[in-house]
Amino acid sequence: MDKLAYGFWGCYFGTTALMLAGSAMAFNRSLHRISLNAALSATASGFFVLAFLGALPISDPDSLSRFLAHVAIAASSALAYLLFSIVGALDNRKARRRTQWALVALALGGVALGWLLPAAHALAVGVGIAWWQGLVALGVALRSAWRGDRLAWQAFFAVLFLLIAMIGLGLIALARGQMPWQVHAVSALAGTAYLSLMASALWVRYSYQIELNQIMAQGPSYDPVTRMRSHSETGQMLVSAFKRRRDQPTALGMLVVSIGNLYTLEKLHGTAAMNHALFVCAGRLRQVTPAQVELGRFGEDGFLLLLPECSDSGQLIKLAHRLGPRMAKAVTLNTSLDSTKRESEQTRWRADLGIGVLMVSDPTAKVSVTLATARAMSRTAMSYASRVAWFDHASGEAVELPVLRPS
């Protein structure tokens, strides 16, 4: 095989490894079904490619051809079933059973027919059955797409690329060592495109399941705009944190992030633009915040961050200085409810932030007073260059916390 061909197939197997890593991450988040689907797609297609590229330790040509025929039938059956599941064709229990029996019967029939033919013909039959299953899957995906399922379009193009890869791999297996590198390149790129589209489709299902799990766990206390705790749930989180703090020697770290120009954004461009801005700011906030920090929505234009056991004010200050630049980056917002609208219905926006930082060490401190102080500091911080305000207990006033540059 040409060196260029090795490079293209390396790209394919790199994508396979990334998909397997993603499936492991999903399994770790207890999303077992999606994890298994992603692992099945990557493993079945990866083994199919390895086998047809001649990586198996089978020296006899006839035995190899028959085994490749079995691999083609088994892998295509598994991938077809996975695609049917993604586009919702197996939601009905009766349809799922019929599909399972049909795929099993087709696979067994193809294997039996292959043993009645010469080895080379058996391989051709196996590849033909695999390609026919791909055509059926293509038709099912197209029907779902025409019915309005956006995810089905991804599945449709994924199967289209899979069919191209199957043709190339079939030619490579039938004419071992005689195919030019261009055939390898097209097959590898098609296989990579298939995996990328399938990973994207599975990610849509994955993110949906994550949000569903959060809604099921938190119910009405879940805020769908920011995907955080709602206002009432944030209040309960704060009260619980104050109760726990009375039994702990360490202080409670608190940050209040306020966005000063959300109201103006809503008046100028509508609720859709404001919700988009909140969604983006909340996403950036979650990306920067460490796992031990509790998050919640605070008011109509802010967020509350709590660090239950804060022994060092430095970590609070560092977090505040990381939050400011990250959340204040400019973003293009949609001013229409249709997220696909043209640029004339979009606006460039940058959050006007203020961050109030406070450490609560007094066991008699009241929740309402502490929260009001932190909120007022976040408002004051909007006038500071660093956008971060710290409550100085010695003077009883809010002071600016400038970013300290290393000497």
Side-chain angles (χ1 to χ4, degrees), residues 165-207:
M166 280 185 177
I167 293 175
L169 287 167
L171 293 173
I172 292 169
L174 290 170
R176 183 75 61 194
Q178 300 178 20
M179 287 293 109
W181 69 266
Q182 289 87 347
V183 176
H184 286 272
V186 171
S187 303
L189 291 176
T192 304
Y194 161 76
L195 283 180
S196 300
L197 287 170
M198 290 301 293
S200 176
L202 288 169
W203 171 251
V204 171
R205 291 293 173 95
Y206 172 70
S207 57

mmCIF file of all heavy atoms in Angstrom, residues 165-207:
data_model
loop_
_atom_site.group_PDB
_atom_site.id
_atom_site.type_symbol
_atom_site.label_atom_id
_atom_site.label_comp_id
_atom_site.label_asym_id
_atom_site.label_seq_id
_atom_site.Cartn_x
_atom_site.Cartn_y
_atom_site.Cartn_z
ATOM 1 N N ALA A 165 -17.418 4.148 0.690
ATOM 2 C CA ALA A 165 -16.302 3.442 1.317
ATOM 3 C C ALA A 165 -16.396 1.937 1.083
ATOM 4 O O ALA A 165 -15.372 1.267 0.860
ATOM 5 C CB ALA A 165 -16.281 3.744 2.816
ATOM 6 N N MET A 166 -17.609 1.392 1.107
ATOM 7 C CA MET A 166 -17.791 -0.048 0.878
ATOM 8 C C MET A 166 -17.361 -0.444 -0.533
ATOM 9 O O MET A 166 -16.733 -1.491 -0.734
ATOM 10 C CB MET A 166 -19.250 -0.432 1.105
ATOM 11 C CG MET A 166 -19.633 -0.593 2.549
ATOM 12 S SD MET A 166 -21.344 -1.179 2.692
ATOM 13 C CE MET A 166 -21.465 -1.371 4.470
ATOM 14 N N ILE A 167 -17.717 0.381 -1.510
ATOM 15 C CA ILE A 167 -17.312 0.086 -2.887
ATOM 16 C C ILE A 167 -15.788 0.048 -2.990
ATOM 17 O O ILE A 167 -15.198 -0.883 -3.562
ATOM 18 C CB ILE A 167 -17.895 1.136 -3.853
ATOM 19 C CG1 ILE A 167 -19.429 1.021 -3.910
ATOM 20 C CG2 ILE A 167 -17.310 0.956 -5.247
ATOM 21 C CD1 ILE A 167 -20.075 2.106 -4.745
ATOM 22 N N GLY A 168 -15.146 1.064 -2.430
ATOM 23 C CA GLY A 168 -13.689 1.111 -2.499
ATOM 24 C C GLY A 168 -13.030 -0.057 -1.783
ATOM 25 O O GLY A 168 -12.096 -0.679 -2.313
ATOM 26 N N LEU A 169 -13.525 -0.395 -0.579
ATOM 27 C CA LEU A 169 -12.935 -1.501 0.164
ATOM 28 C C LEU A 169 -13.198 -2.839 -0.521
ATOM 29 O O LEU A 169 -12.357 -3.744 -0.481
ATOM 30 C CB LEU A 169 -13.499 -1.513 1.593
ATOM 31 C CG LEU A 169 -12.968 -0.396 2.497
ATOM 32 C CD1 LEU A 169 -13.811 -0.293 3.769
ATOM 33 C CD2 LEU A 169 -11.505 -0.627 2.850
ATOM 34 N N GLY A 170 -14.365 -2.961 -1.159
ATOM 35 C CA GLY A 170 -14.654 -4.181 -1.905
ATOM 36 C C GLY A 170 -13.674 -4.371 -3.064
ATOM 37 O O GLY A 170 -13.163 -5.474 -3.292
ATOM 38 N N LEU A 171 -13.397 -3.274 -3.777
ATOM 39 C CA LEU A 171 -12.424 -3.341 -4.875
ATOM 40 C C LEU A 171 -11.025 -3.664 -4.352
ATOM 41 O O LEU A 171 -10.278 -4.435 -4.969
ATOM 42 C CB LEU A 171 -12.412 -2.017 -5.634
ATOM 43 C CG LEU A 171 -13.684 -1.664 -6.422
ATOM 44 C CD1 LEU A 171 -13.595 -0.266 -6.989
ATOM 45 C CD2 LEU A 171 -13.910 -2.683 -7.530
ATOM 46 N N ILE A 172 -10.669 -3.069 -3.214
ATOM 47 C CA ILE A 172 -9.351 -3.324 -2.630
ATOM 48 C C ILE A 172 -9.201 -4.785 -2.234
ATOM 49 O O ILE A 172 -8.147 -5.405 -2.436
ATOM 50 C CB ILE A 172 -9.140 -2.403 -1.407
ATOM 51 C CG1 ILE A 172 -9.014 -0.941 -1.846
ATOM 52 C CG2 ILE A 172 -7.899 -2.815 -0.611
ATOM 53 C CD1 ILE A 172 -9.064 0.059 -0.718
ATOM 54 N N ALA A 173 -10.281 -5.375 -1.684
ATOM 55 C CA ALA A 173 -10.214 -6.774 -1.262
ATOM 56 C C ALA A 173 -10.224 -7.728 -2.452
ATOM 57 O O ALA A 173 -9.542 -8.756 -2.441
ATOM 58 C CB ALA A 173 -11.382 -7.086 -0.330
ATOM 59 N N LEU A 174 -11.003 -7.401 -3.492
ATOM 60 C CA LEU A 174 -11.092 -8.294 -4.648
ATOM 61 C C LEU A 174 -9.837 -8.241 -5.508
ATOM 62 O O LEU A 174 -9.476 -9.235 -6.155
ATOM 63 C CB LEU A 174 -12.328 -7.935 -5.480
ATOM 64 C CG LEU A 174 -13.682 -8.257 -4.839
ATOM 65 C CD1 LEU A 174 -14.821 -7.651 -5.642
ATOM 66 C CD2 LEU A 174 -13.871 -9.773 -4.726
ATOM 67 N N ALA A 175 -9.189 -7.093 -5.546
ATOM 68 C CA ALA A 175 -7.956 -6.958 -6.338
ATOM 69 C C ALA A 175 -6.833 -6.547 -5.402
ATOM 70 O O ALA A 175 -6.320 -5.423 -5.459
ATOM 71 C CB ALA A 175 -8.152 -5.927 -7.456
ATOM 72 N N ARG A 176 -6.466 -7.455 -4.521
ATOM 73 C CA ARG A 176 -5.506 -7.176 -3.460
ATOM 74 C C ARG A 176 -4.165 -6.678 -4.028
ATOM 75 O O ARG A 176 -3.550 -7.322 -4.878
ATOM 76 C CB ARG A 176 -5.274 -8.450 -2.656
ATOM 77 C CG ARG A 176 -4.357 -8.298 -1.471
ATOM 78 C CD ARG A 176 -5.031 -7.586 -0.327
ATOM 79 N NE ARG A 176 -6.201 -8.321 0.142
ATOM 80 C CZ ARG A 176 -7.131 -7.810 0.937
ATOM 81 N NH1 ARG A 176 -7.033 -6.554 1.300
ATOM 82 N NH2 ARG A 176 -8.153 -8.540 1.319
ATOM 83 N N GLY A 177 -3.741 -5.493 -3.575
ATOM 84 C CA GLY A 177 -2.454 -4.942 -3.969
ATOM 85 C C GLY A 177 -2.416 -4.307 -5.336
ATOM 86 O O GLY A 177 -1.348 -3.876 -5.778
ATOM 87 N N GLN A 178 -3.558 -4.231 -6.031
ATOM 88 C CA GLN A 178 -3.566 -3.691 -7.385
ATOM 89 C C GLN A 178 -4.266 -2.335 -7.492
ATOM 90 O O GLN A 178 -4.276 -1.736 -8.552
ATOM 91 C CB GLN A 178 -4.245 -4.687 -8.338
ATOM 92 C CG GLN A 178 -3.552 -6.044 -8.393
ATOM 93 C CD GLN A 178 -4.288 -7.009 -9.303
ATOM 94 O OE1 GLN A 178 -5.064 -6.606 -10.162
ATOM 95 N NE2 GLN A 178 -4.040 -8.313 -9.118
ATOM 96 N N MET A 179 -4.880 -1.882 -6.412
ATOM 97 C CA MET A 179 -5.612 -0.622 -6.462
ATOM 98 C C MET A 179 -4.657 0.555 -6.237
ATOM 99 O O MET A 179 -3.784 0.504 -5.361
ATOM 100 C CB MET A 179 -6.699 -0.602 -5.377
ATOM 101 C CG MET A 179 -7.889 -1.502 -5.667
ATOM 102 S SD MET A 179 -8.857 -0.924 -7.091
ATOM 103 C CE MET A 179 -8.451 -2.177 -8.302
ATOM 104 N N PRO A 180 -4.792 1.631 -7.004
ATOM 105 C CA PRO A 180 -3.953 2.819 -6.813
ATOM 106 C C PRO A 180 -4.302 3.533 -5.510
ATOM 107 O O PRO A 180 -5.365 3.307 -4.918
ATOM 108 C CB PRO A 180 -4.275 3.685 -8.038
ATOM 109 C CG PRO A 180 -5.649 3.256 -8.443
ATOM 110 C CD PRO A 180 -5.737 1.792 -8.137
ATOM 111 N N TRP A 181 -3.421 4.428 -5.083
ATOM 112 C CA TRP A 181 -3.637 5.105 -3.807
ATOM 113 C C TRP A 181 -4.878 5.988 -3.821
ATOM 114 O O TRP A 181 -5.459 6.282 -2.768
ATOM 115 C CB TRP A 181 -2.398 5.923 -3.431
ATOM 116 C CG TRP A 181 -2.153 7.131 -4.317
ATOM 117 C CD1 TRP A 181 -1.371 7.201 -5.416
ATOM 118 C CD2 TRP A 181 -2.711 8.438 -4.142
ATOM 119 N NE1 TRP A 181 -1.394 8.452 -5.955
ATOM 120 C CE2 TRP A 181 -2.203 9.250 -5.184
ATOM 121 C CE3 TRP A 181 -3.571 9.002 -3.219
ATOM 122 C CZ2 TRP A 181 -2.548 10.586 -5.332
ATOM 123 C CZ3 TRP A 181 -3.920 10.345 -3.339
ATOM 124 C CH2 TRP A 181 -3.407 11.130 -4.391
ATOM 125 N N GLN A 182 -5.303 6.422 -5.029
ATOM 126 C CA GLN A 182 -6.486 7.264 -5.102
ATOM 127 C C GLN A 182 -7.740 6.540 -4.591
ATOM 128 O O GLN A 182 -8.605 7.141 -3.947
ATOM 129 C CB GLN A 182 -6.726 7.742 -6.538
ATOM 130 C CG GLN A 182 -5.718 8.763 -7.028
ATOM 131 C CD GLN A 182 -4.491 8.135 -7.634
ATOM 132 O OE1 GLN A 182 -4.264 6.931 -7.484
ATOM 133 N NE2 GLN A 182 -3.692 8.921 -8.346
ATOM 134 N N VAL A 183 -7.831 5.220 -4.878
ATOM 135 C CA VAL A 183 -8.969 4.443 -4.379
ATOM 136 C C VAL A 183 -8.927 4.372 -2.853
ATOM 137 O O VAL A 183 -9.952 4.518 -2.174
ATOM 138 C CB VAL A 183 -8.963 3.021 -4.990
ATOM 139 C CG1 VAL A 183 -10.084 2.177 -4.393
ATOM 140 C CG2 VAL A 183 -9.085 3.092 -6.502
ATOM 141 N N HIS A 184 -7.737 4.173 -2.315
ATOM 142 C CA HIS A 184 -7.585 4.172 -0.855
ATOM 143 C C HIS A 184 -7.973 5.527 -0.266
ATOM 144 O O HIS A 184 -8.629 5.600 0.778
ATOM 145 C CB HIS A 184 -6.136 3.837 -0.482
ATOM 146 C CG HIS A 184 -5.773 2.399 -0.677
ATOM 147 N ND1 HIS A 184 -5.972 1.446 0.300
ATOM 148 C CD2 HIS A 184 -5.228 1.748 -1.739
ATOM 149 C CE1 HIS A 184 -5.553 0.270 -0.144
ATOM 150 N NE2 HIS A 184 -5.090 0.430 -1.377
ATOM 151 N N ALA A 185 -7.549 6.595 -0.939
ATOM 152 C CA ALA A 185 -7.827 7.938 -0.427
ATOM 153 C C ALA A 185 -9.326 8.215 -0.387
ATOM 154 O O ALA A 185 -9.863 8.699 0.623
ATOM 155 C CB ALA A 185 -7.108 8.982 -1.288
ATOM 156 N N VAL A 186 -10.015 7.906 -1.486
ATOM 157 C CA VAL A 186 -11.463 8.140 -1.537
ATOM 158 C C VAL A 186 -12.182 7.297 -0.488
ATOM 159 O O VAL A 186 -13.079 7.778 0.221
ATOM 160 C CB VAL A 186 -11.999 7.838 -2.956
ATOM 161 C CG1 VAL A 186 -13.522 7.870 -2.962
ATOM 162 C CG2 VAL A 186 -11.451 8.839 -3.957
ATOM 163 N N SER A 187 -11.779 6.035 -0.356
ATOM 164 C CA SER A 187 -12.422 5.151 0.613
ATOM 165 C C SER A 187 -12.187 5.629 2.041
ATOM 166 O O SER A 187 -13.104 5.645 2.866
ATOM 167 C CB SER A 187 -11.889 3.722 0.456
ATOM 168 O OG SER A 187 -12.093 3.252 -0.860
ATOM 169 N N ALA A 188 -10.950 6.022 2.334
ATOM 170 C CA ALA A 188 -10.627 6.480 3.690
ATOM 171 C C ALA A 188 -11.355 7.774 4.028
ATOM 172 O O ALA A 188 -11.893 7.932 5.136
ATOM 173 C CB ALA A 188 -9.121 6.679 3.830
ATOM 174 N N LEU A 189 -11.400 8.709 3.089
ATOM 175 C CA LEU A 189 -12.089 9.967 3.337
ATOM 176 C C LEU A 189 -13.592 9.750 3.495
ATOM 177 O O LEU A 189 -14.241 10.396 4.335
ATOM 178 C CB LEU A 189 -11.807 10.956 2.200
ATOM 179 C CG LEU A 189 -10.369 11.485 2.131
ATOM 180 C CD1 LEU A 189 -10.190 12.368 0.907
ATOM 181 C CD2 LEU A 189 -10.029 12.263 3.401
ATOM 182 N N ALA A 190 -14.148 8.853 2.685
ATOM 183 C CA ALA A 190 -15.571 8.547 2.813
ATOM 184 C C ALA A 190 -15.863 7.900 4.173
ATOM 185 O O ALA A 190 -16.859 8.232 4.827
ATOM 186 C CB ALA A 190 -16.015 7.630 1.685
ATOM 187 N N GLY A 191 -14.984 6.977 4.586
ATOM 188 C CA GLY A 191 -15.164 6.361 5.895
ATOM 189 C C GLY A 191 -15.049 7.365 7.023
ATOM 190 O O GLY A 191 -15.805 7.320 8.000
ATOM 191 N N THR A 192 -14.111 8.297 6.911
ATOM 192 C CA THR A 192 -13.957 9.342 7.931
ATOM 193 C C THR A 192 -15.187 10.248 7.981
ATOM 194 O O THR A 192 -15.656 10.629 9.066
ATOM 195 C CB THR A 192 -12.704 10.187 7.638
ATOM 196 O OG1 THR A 192 -11.560 9.323 7.570
ATOM 197 C CG2 THR A 192 -12.487 11.231 8.711
ATOM 198 N N ALA A 193 -15.705 10.595 6.794
ATOM 199 C CA ALA A 193 -16.918 11.420 6.749
ATOM 200 C C ALA A 193 -18.098 10.690 7.383
ATOM 201 O O ALA A 193 -18.898 11.293 8.104
ATOM 202 C CB ALA A 193 -17.237 11.791 5.302
ATOM 203 N N TYR A 194 -18.198 9.381 7.124
ATOM 204 C CA TYR A 194 -19.272 8.588 7.739
ATOM 205 C C TYR A 194 -19.179 8.646 9.263
ATOM 206 O O TYR A 194 -20.178 8.911 9.954
ATOM 207 C CB TYR A 194 -19.189 7.145 7.262
ATOM 208 C CG TYR A 194 -19.938 6.182 8.146
ATOM 209 C CD1 TYR A 194 -21.327 6.103 8.106
ATOM 210 C CD2 TYR A 194 -19.249 5.362 9.052
ATOM 211 C CE1 TYR A 194 -22.017 5.238 8.942
ATOM 212 C CE2 TYR A 194 -19.931 4.495 9.877
ATOM 213 C CZ TYR A 194 -21.311 4.431 9.825
ATOM 214 O OH TYR A 194 -21.991 3.576 10.656
ATOM 215 N N LEU A 195 -17.991 8.388 9.806
ATOM 216 C CA LEU A 195 -17.828 8.400 11.260
ATOM 217 C C LEU A 195 -18.113 9.781 11.841
ATOM 218 O O LEU A 195 -18.727 9.906 12.909
ATOM 219 C CB LEU A 195 -16.419 7.964 11.631
ATOM 220 C CG LEU A 195 -16.116 6.468 11.556
ATOM 221 C CD1 LEU A 195 -14.667 6.211 11.967
ATOM 222 C CD2 LEU A 195 -17.057 5.666 12.446
ATOM 223 N N SER A 196 -17.662 10.829 11.160
ATOM 224 C CA SER A 196 -17.880 12.187 11.662
ATOM 225 C C SER A 196 -19.357 12.521 11.721
ATOM 226 O O SER A 196 -19.850 13.095 12.710
ATOM 227 C CB SER A 196 -17.146 13.195 10.776
ATOM 228 O OG SER A 196 -15.762 12.929 10.759
ATOM 229 N N LEU A 197 -20.099 12.163 10.671
ATOM 230 C CA LEU A 197 -21.533 12.447 10.649
ATOM 231 C C LEU A 197 -22.276 11.614 11.687
ATOM 232 O O LEU A 197 -23.196 12.109 12.352
ATOM 233 C CB LEU A 197 -22.088 12.178 9.253
ATOM 234 C CG LEU A 197 -21.697 13.206 8.189
ATOM 235 C CD1 LEU A 197 -22.087 12.710 6.800
ATOM 236 C CD2 LEU A 197 -22.362 14.547 8.469
ATOM 237 N N MET A 198 -21.895 10.358 11.841
ATOM 238 C CA MET A 198 -22.530 9.520 12.850
ATOM 239 C C MET A 198 -22.223 10.026 14.254
ATOM 240 O O MET A 198 -23.091 10.030 15.135
ATOM 241 C CB MET A 198 -22.063 8.072 12.696
ATOM 242 C CG MET A 198 -22.592 7.381 11.463
ATOM 243 S SD MET A 198 -24.400 7.304 11.395
ATOM 244 C CE MET A 198 -24.740 6.193 12.760
ATOM 245 N N ALA A 199 -20.988 10.472 14.478
ATOM 246 C CA ALA A 199 -20.636 11.026 15.781
ATOM 247 C C ALA A 199 -21.447 12.280 16.070
ATOM 248 O O ALA A 199 -21.914 12.493 17.202
ATOM 249 C CB ALA A 199 -19.142 11.346 15.835
ATOM 250 N N SER A 200 -21.646 13.099 15.035
ATOM 251 C CA SER A 200 -22.448 14.310 15.200
ATOM 252 C C SER A 200 -23.897 13.967 15.539
ATOM 253 O O SER A 200 -24.509 14.574 16.427
ATOM 254 C CB SER A 200 -22.384 15.151 13.926
ATOM 255 O OG SER A 200 -23.226 16.270 14.022
ATOM 256 N N ALA A 201 -24.452 12.984 14.829
ATOM 257 C CA ALA A 201 -25.832 12.580 15.089
ATOM 258 C C ALA A 201 -25.982 11.993 16.491
ATOM 259 O O ALA A 201 -26.954 12.288 17.212
ATOM 260 C CB ALA A 201 -26.279 11.558 14.041
ATOM 261 N N LEU A 202 -25.026 11.178 16.892
ATOM 262 C CA LEU A 202 -25.083 10.602 18.235
ATOM 263 C C LEU A 202 -24.887 11.666 19.304
ATOM 264 O O LEU A 202 -25.445 11.565 20.398
ATOM 265 C CB LEU A 202 -24.026 9.503 18.380
ATOM 266 C CG LEU A 202 -24.326 8.207 17.610
ATOM 267 C CD1 LEU A 202 -23.104 7.301 17.598
ATOM 268 C CD2 LEU A 202 -25.505 7.479 18.229
ATOM 269 N N TRP A 203 -24.076 12.697 18.995
ATOM 270 C CA TRP A 203 -23.891 13.778 19.953
ATOM 271 C C TRP A 203 -25.187 14.540 20.186
ATOM 272 O O TRP A 203 -25.484 14.982 21.310
ATOM 273 C CB TRP A 203 -22.803 14.734 19.476
ATOM 274 C CG TRP A 203 -22.739 15.984 20.317
ATOM 275 C CD1 TRP A 203 -23.112 17.240 19.975
ATOM 276 C CD2 TRP A 203 -22.277 16.064 21.669
ATOM 277 N NE1 TRP A 203 -22.916 18.102 21.010
ATOM 278 C CE2 TRP A 203 -22.407 17.408 22.073
ATOM 279 C CE3 TRP A 203 -21.780 15.133 22.578
ATOM 280 C CZ2 TRP A 203 -22.045 17.843 23.343
ATOM 281 C CZ3 TRP A 203 -21.417 15.572 23.843
ATOM 282 C CH2 TRP A 203 -21.550 16.910 24.209
ATOM 283 N N VAL A 204 -25.987 14.712 19.123
ATOM 284 C CA VAL A 204 -27.284 15.372 19.284
ATOM 285 C C VAL A 204 -28.144 14.580 20.267
ATOM 286 O O VAL A 204 -28.767 15.145 21.176
ATOM 287 C CB VAL A 204 -27.994 15.512 17.923
ATOM 288 C CG1 VAL A 204 -29.428 16.003 18.100
ATOM 289 C CG2 VAL A 204 -27.224 16.456 17.016
ATOM 290 N N ARG A 205 -28.162 13.254 20.091
ATOM 291 C CA ARG A 205 -28.910 12.412 21.025
ATOM 292 C C ARG A 205 -28.280 12.454 22.422
ATOM 293 O O ARG A 205 -28.970 12.435 23.431
ATOM 294 C CB ARG A 205 -28.953 10.975 20.504
ATOM 295 C CG ARG A 205 -29.814 10.797 19.253
ATOM 296 C CD ARG A 205 -31.288 11.045 19.590
ATOM 297 N NE ARG A 205 -32.110 11.051 18.397
ATOM 298 C CZ ARG A 205 -32.763 9.972 17.952
ATOM 299 N NH1 ARG A 205 -32.641 8.833 18.593
ATOM 300 N NH2 ARG A 205 -33.511 10.056 16.881
ATOM 301 N N TYR A 206 -26.959 12.507 22.468
ATOM 302 C CA TYR A 206 -26.240 12.527 23.745
ATOM 303 C C TYR A 206 -26.587 13.793 24.530
ATOM 304 O O TYR A 206 -26.918 13.733 25.718
ATOM 305 C CB TYR A 206 -24.747 12.444 23.462
ATOM 306 C CG TYR A 206 -23.844 12.643 24.659
ATOM 307 C CD1 TYR A 206 -23.765 11.696 25.665
ATOM 308 C CD2 TYR A 206 -23.042 13.782 24.755
ATOM 309 C CE1 TYR A 206 -22.923 11.873 26.751
ATOM 310 C CE2 TYR A 206 -22.202 13.969 25.828
ATOM 311 C CZ TYR A 206 -22.140 13.010 26.825
ATOM 312 O OH TYR A 206 -21.319 13.195 27.894
ATOM 313 N N SER A 207 -26.505 14.954 23.888
ATOM 314 C CA SER A 207 -26.804 16.210 24.568
ATOM 315 C C SER A 207 -28.272 16.267 24.987
ATOM 316 O O SER A 207 -28.610 16.816 26.043
ATOM 317 C CB SER A 207 -26.462 17.405 23.667
ATOM 318 O OG SER A 207 -27.159 17.331 22.438
#
